[in-house]
Amino acid sequence: MTVGEVWKYLDGVAPKKYAEGFDNVGLLIGDENAEVTGVCCCLDITHSVINEAVEKGANLIVTHHPVIFDALKNIPAWSPVAALMRRDIAVIAMHTNFDIAEGGVNDTLIELLEWERGDTLEVTQSDGRGFGAVCDIQLEFTPQMLAEYCKEKLFLGGVRYSRISRSVKRVAVCCGAGIDRTIMQLARERGCDAIISGDIKHNFWIEAENCGLTLIDAGHFGTEKAAAHKLAKLVTAEFSSVPVFSAECEADPCGYV
């Protein structure tokens, strides 16, 4: 089992061609011909994740967020990239291509919320794939009730929500930093009462208040942390010859008081 074989399999699950133009996915560091001794799956590559990979004998990390995103002009000693190269650890990134994949990050978020996936909110591919999904939920929520529900189902330390009271029955679910001008417009057009996402900017809270939408900010980490577990599950199902695990050290980098 080589690094290249793992990448080939993952590219079949969530093809690189589906990644957004700004993204950087695929084999980012390492030799595709190297034999894999173990696979560590994570949301973000930190020094703690690298240390855990080394301790558990993994020489391949499959990450959701690319450890190399923009072009590098230098690699400082403190950089995870430098540590990965020193320790000869390969890296495969599965980012926006995995966000929109069937059974990918957004679908996993909906599963955790125990809802049924409806139509794609923003179609970006010719086969109907894209970002976000519309879910018609069985129970009627207030914004606070919906926030408390998300906090419980996603095991979160805190959730931001729109404080204006209104009824919520149809919800757009967009993992990560999923809200932009297009998503807001599409949610209104599709008759959504609320959007669940993360990293929501101030101007969208004001726009939502003015147009009657409820926003739930469950955090970038909170809406995507299950990506590592899903990646580990996929790789484990395909490759049984080496240990595959989700990094146990990962935690929300933000604290709550």
Side-chain angles (χ1 to χ4, degrees), residues 61-157:
I61 296 178
V62 179
T63 180
H64 179 50
H65 293 138
V67 69
I68 301 174
F69 197 78
D70 298 315
L72 297 178
K73 294 185 178 180
N74 59 67
I75 303 176
W78 57 261
S79 167
V81 175
L84 290 161
M85 295 177 71
R86 282 197 304 268
R87 298 186 177 192
D88 199 20
I89 298 175
V91 173
I92 294 172
M94 301 284 288
H95 193 208
T96 52
N97 53 325
F98 195 49
D99 282 330
I100 71 173
E102 183 177 351
V105 186
N106 206 70
D107 284 355
T108 301
L109 174 58
I110 294 170
E111 290 171 13
L112 290 173
L113 294 170
E114 298 182 356
W115 295 337
E116 292 293 326
R117 189 190 197 285
D119 294 336
T120 299
L121 185 62
E122 182 185 10
V123 176
T124 60
Q125 306 294 329
S126 59
D127 63 0
R129 300 189 194 207
F131 293 97
V134 177
C135 300
D136 290 307
I137 54 182
Q138 294 181 345
L139 299 177
E140 185 172 315
F141 288 94
T142 65
Q144 182 173 343
M145 289 168 58
L146 183 58
E148 290 172 346
Y149 180 84
C150 291
K151 182 178 179 180
E152 176 187 353
K153 293 296 182 181
L154 303 178
F155 304 99
L156 303 176

Side-chain angles (χ1 to χ4, degrees), residues 116-251:
E116 292 293 326
R117 189 190 197 285
D119 294 336
T120 299
L121 185 62
E122 182 185 10
V123 176
T124 60
Q125 306 294 329
S126 59
D127 63 0
R129 300 189 194 207
F131 293 97
V134 177
C135 300
D136 290 307
I137 54 182
Q138 294 181 345
L139 299 177
E140 185 172 315
F141 288 94
T142 65
Q144 182 173 343
M145 289 168 58
L146 183 58
E148 290 172 346
Y149 180 84
C150 291
K151 182 178 179 180
E152 176 187 353
K153 293 296 182 181
L154 303 178
F155 304 99
L156 303 176
V159 174
R160 296 195 299 165
Y161 66 95
S162 300
R163 294 194 298 173
I164 294 178
S165 181
R166 52 175 72 99
S167 176
V168 176
K169 284 278 291 182
R170 170 170 274 206
V171 182
V173 179
C174 306
C175 63
I179 291 185
D180 58 17
R181 187 70 59 197
T182 299
I183 290 295
M184 290 284 286
Q185 179 64 31
L186 288 171
R188 291 196 296 270
E189 291 175 358
R190 298 293 298 277
C192 293
D193 306 308
I195 306 174
I196 296 172
S197 190
D199 293 347
I200 301 175
K201 295 173 63 177
H202 177 77
N203 62 296
F204 292 124
W205 291 97
I206 301 302
E207 182 176 326
E209 180 175 333
N210 288 330
C211 73
L213 271 173
T214 289
L215 298 184
I216 303 292
D217 190 336
H220 203 128
F221 181 87
T223 59
E224 293 194 334
K225 63 182 179 180
H229 302 297
K230 180 55 71 76
L231 286 167
K233 183 178 180 180
L234 289 167
V235 177
T236 298
E238 183 68 15
F239 302 99
S240 59
S241 59
V242 299
V244 179
F245 58 92
S246 177
E248 295 180 2
C249 65
E250 279 206 296

